[in-house]
Amino acid sequence: MASKLLLITFVICRLLSTVGFTMDPLARVTGQLSSDPDDLEAASRDFGGMTRAKPLAVLHPASAEEVASVVRAGSAQGFTVSARGHGHSINGQAQVGRNGVVIDMSGPKGRRFREEFTKPVLGEVVNRGGDSRNRSRSRSYYVDVWGGELWIDVLKWSLDEHGLAPKSWTDYLYLSVGGTLSNAGISGQAFHHGPQTSNVYELDVVTGKGELMTCSEEKNSELFHGVLGGLGQFGIITRARIALEPAPQRVKWVRVLYSNFSAFTKDQEYLISLHGGGSSERFDYVEGFIIVDEGLINNWRSSFFSPRNPVNLTLIGARGVLYCLEVTKNYDESTADTVDQVVETLLKKLDFIPSSVFTTDVTYLDFLDRVHKAELKLRAKNLWHVPHPWLNLFVPKSQISKFNDGVFKVMLAGNKTSGPILIYPMNRNKWDQRSSVVTPDEDVFYLVALLRSATEEGPHTLDNLRDQNRRILHFCEESGIKVKRYLPDHSTQDEWKGHFGEKWEAFKQMKMKFDPSHILAVGQRIFQPSFTSHGIFDL
């Protein structure tokens, strides 16, 4: 009997060896692999704070090859893999559960930014057209950065070292390069430069088969466009070549208020229509937000207004729901004498409440990093690590008024809010439709972002805010408002098919080509891993 058992054990081991499996599924992984409880706990959470899934292990990679090694092992050994940047996802998109490995893209423990494997590299774009004099006048630059690098560090390096900066931003800079490029990356510059996905020259990507591939519009273009906005489904971005431009020194930052929604949207749409004009003919940033209670305007990004002179809406005759337009004009020493005149000329063409103009002047870095100041205040009050049931929608221009009437004026009006509500338009022709990002099929569409924080009691509990999000989505469906979810969160593949629409079949084919075992980014819940029928978040 013992001899038979020994023979069976020997056969099983030989079989496992033959088909490429080991008794330890992580044996083939190279790099700093951790099962430290603190690492596992950190990787099990995200900014949303609504889901938790502890992984099998966490990799702290020191190179793209180490990222590739864990992906190859996952494909061969049957475990899932997810890249995690700054952990700012909302609904567990970067989580894998107990049968997977999270790659912490911030890099090896103990290493600092600018060490060799993450050190940015500046380059110049080759312009083959025109004469040498014209080329020298229109030089453009790029920076190669590690996919896990934070945008704030990219900004500080390019600004301090070269007086340059990326063209397109997110409102919050403590996000990873690979993370935002896997979604889109938007803020008030998108009307002019497009999202961050439209400002990339080249990528290095580890596919779901563990292949490290360089891709661009000219080389492996299918992968290049698929990964941009691809929600991590086809590969992990380990290097990105980002377009740069000369950085301004300072920013004129202006806010004006509206009580009329039509005037507000008309002015926003007019301002983004100026995207093709010269620098003196347009603003550099256009955003807006909704004010459903007076406290919000003095608390959100409170560094804008002086605490000694808060905005009193009653003094300017404002009632009910208000709409705030936020614009900026960049300048430096050469344009300092004319910037005020440019701002005044542009403002004269707008139809805001005349007594509601508020202006400040800040450095370019301070403006781009404005949200971090609010973060520090919330952290000091232990209010940062709370659930964030955010809802981000792209709303077609033709239906934004209907959305305002049903959501802002009915569902939200008269209620205190627990976070900012952004609303601003973008030009669809600034978005590369070859990418995986899905937008409404209209020339202009709006971002509506309800960025709320949940409280333990009162009207803003997690359950109440989640229920309100569901009611908003139901209202859109019943009213025929064809929204698209930004930073999407869907539970079934049928819902994902509806989200991607006509892009779905190509998306599915790319998944089969670049990640045939479906091991990447399982937290998105788009595809089930081919080697298991169990739920990915079973703990």
Side-chain angles (χ1 to χ4, degrees):
M1 183 67 181
S3 60
K4 289 184 178 179
L5 182 59
L6 182 62
L7 178 61
I8 292 173
T9 302
F10 174 77
V11 170
I12 291 175
C13 290
R14 290 288 295 173
L15 179 61
L16 288 171
S17 176
T18 300
V19 299
F21 284 75
T22 67
M23 299 303 288
D24 179 2
L26 302 180
R28 295 185 179 185
V29 177
T30 60
Q32 194 177 60
L33 196 64
S34 172
S35 58
D36 180 271
D38 290 340
D39 280 347
L40 299 183
E41 177 61 21
S44 73
R45 295 179 281 106
D46 64 11
F47 182 70
M50 294 179 288
T51 65
R52 184 166 296 198
K54 190 170 292 187
L56 178 66
V58 176
L59 178 73
H60 300 275
S63 67
E65 177 53 39
E66 290 186 2
V67 174
S69 78
V70 75
V71 175
R72 286 194 295 268
S75 180
Q77 307 298 331
F79 61 82
T80 56
V81 179
S82 182
R84 185 180 192 270
H86 195 52
H88 208 75
S89 57
I90 302 301
N91 293 287
Q93 288 93 333
Q95 296 171 2
V96 291
R98 63 185 180 186
N99 297 318
V101 173
V102 169
I103 303 176
D104 184 343
M105 293 297 291
S106 61
K109 281 186 170 182
R111 291 214 182 185
R112 295 176 59 83
F113 176 68
R114 302 184 193 180
E115 291 211 17
E116 197 56 39
F117 92 106
T118 59
K119 187 176 182 179
V121 178
L122 183 73
E124 184 175 348
V125 178
V126 177
N127 184 352
R128 296 182 174 86
D131 59 41
S132 59
R133 288 177 300 173
N134 288 333
R135 287 200 299 270
S136 66
R137 292 172 186 167
S138 60
R139 285 180 176 175
S140 52
Y141 297 89
Y142 65 79
V143 61
D144 283 334
V145 295
W146 172 250
E149 204 54 76
L150 299 184
W151 284 102
I152 181 64
D153 292 325
V154 176
L155 171 62
K156 289 180 177 179
W157 179 87
S158 60
L159 199 59
D160 293 347
E161 300 286 336
H162 304 284
L164 301 169
K167 296 179 179 181
S168 189
W169 293 100
T170 55
D171 286 324
Y172 182 61
L173 303 186
Y174 289 75
L175 305 172
S176 69
V177 170
T180 64
L181 294 181
S182 296
N183 288 279
I186 56 175
S187 76
Q189 296 93 354
F191 81 94
H192 181 60
H193 291 297
Q196 291 180 319
T197 49
S198 295
N199 293 276
V200 184
Y201 294 126
E202 187 176 273
L203 300 171
D204 281 348
V205 175
V206 174
T207 71
K209 294 188 287 188
E211 299 172 324
L212 179 58
M213 300 177 66
T214 298
C215 55
S216 64
E217 287 199 2
E218 293 78 28
K219 182 179 183 180
N220 298 315
S221 60
E222 181 185 28
L223 180 63
F224 178 71
H225 294 299
V227 166
L228 293 173
L231 307 177
Q233 292 301 306
F234 314 123
I236 297 170
I237 297 171
T238 58
R239 178 185 63 90
R241 179 165 290 180
I242 307 297
L244 300 177
E245 65 177 357
Q249 294 171 329
R250 298 193 66 83
V251 172
K252 289 285 184 180
W253 186 5
V254 183
R255 283 180 175 174
V256 295
L257 300 178
Y258 295 75
S259 58
N260 183 287
F261 186 72
S262 295
F264 171 67
T265 54
K266 180 181 178 181
D267 282 356
Q268 281 194 315
E269 290 162 17
Y270 164 71
L271 290 177
I272 72 166
S273 75
L274 304 176
H275 64 87
S279 177
S280 63
E281 300 172 354
R282 57 172 169 77
F283 285 117
D284 296 297
Y285 163 97
V286 177
E287 281 196 13
F289 61 93
I290 306 297
I291 303 168
V292 295
D293 69 86
E294 184 172 332
L296 180 60
I297 195 170
N298 292 309
N299 290 326
W300 170 236
R301 298 177 186 164
S302 55
S303 59
F304 183 87
F305 298 109
S306 168
R308 299 176 183 176
N309 186 30
V311 181
N312 189 331
L313 300 183
T314 60
L315 296 181
I316 59 177
R319 296 288 188 276
V321 177
L322 288 177
Y323 313 95
C324 179
L325 172 65
E326 185 174 77
V327 293
T328 70
K329 189 66 217 164
N330 302 334
Y331 72 99
D332 52 30
E333 291 180 359
S334 65
T335 55
D337 293 338
T338 60
V339 64
D340 288 334
Q341 182 59 48
V342 170
V343 170
E344 183 179 350
T345 299
L346 288 168
L347 289 178
K348 282 181 178 178
K349 299 178 181 180
L350 307 181
D351 190 21
F352 51 83
I353 300 171
S355 59
S356 70
V357 182
F358 302 93
T359 304
T360 192
D361 191 303
V362 296
T363 68
Y364 188 56
L365 176 60
D366 282 344
F367 172 72
L368 291 180
D369 198 28
R370 61 199 178 278
V371 177
H372 185 54
K373 295 180 180 179
E375 174 191 347
L376 295 177
K377 293 178 180 180
L378 291 173
R379 285 183 180 275
K381 299 177 181 178
N382 294 319
L383 296 176
W384 184 252
H385 294 295
V386 299
H388 296 93
W390 288 5
L391 180 64
N392 295 273
L393 304 173
F394 288 150
V395 183
K397 167 188 169 180
S398 64
Q399 297 167 326
I400 194 64
S401 181
K402 188 187 297 185
F403 188 96
N404 172 65
D405 291 341
V407 177
F408 299 144
K409 287 189 172 182
V410 175
M411 293 188 189
L412 301 180
N415 297 319
K416 295 288 184 179
T417 186
S418 61
I421 304 170
L422 305 183
I423 173 172
Y424 57 91
M426 289 171 278
N427 296 303
R428 190 171 187 262
N429 63 5
K430 295 292 183 178
W431 294 62
D432 192 330
Q433 297 304 316
R434 294 171 296 179
S435 77
S436 294
V437 182
V438 179
T439 65
D441 190 17
E442 290 190 9
D443 291 341
V444 172
F445 60 90
Y446 280 78
L447 170 75
V448 176
L450 289 84
L451 310 180
R452 285 91 60 83
S453 301
T455 57
E456 292 185 357
E457 55 186 26
H460 301 126
T461 63
L462 179 58
D463 287 344
N464 286 346
L465 292 178
R466 277 177 154 176
D467 180 66
Q468 188 175 75
N469 288 344
R470 285 190 289 267
R471 287 189 286 113
I472 291 171
L473 292 171
H474 180 72
F475 167 78
C476 291
E477 183 177 0
E478 291 294 305
S479 302
I481 302 176
K482 298 180 180 179
V483 300
K484 290 293 184 181
R485 305 272 289 273
Y486 178 56
L487 310 178
D489 170 44
H490 297 292
S491 300
T492 69
Q493 195 168 90
D494 282 343
E495 290 175 338
W496 282 108
K497 289 179 183 178
H499 170 79
F500 284 107
E502 62 183 19
K503 289 188 176 184
W504 170 252
E505 287 303 321
F507 193 88
K508 186 173 65 173
Q509 289 303 314
M510 282 191 291
K511 184 69 172 180
M512 291 302 301
K513 181 175 181 178
F514 296 112
D515 181 23
S517 297
H518 300 174
I519 68 168
L520 294 180
V522 291
Q524 296 281 358
R525 297 179 173 86
I526 305 177
F527 300 97
Q528 187 76 15
S530 60
F531 49 77
T532 178
S533 61
H534 300 293
I536 60 173
F537 290 99
D538 291 344
L539 300 180

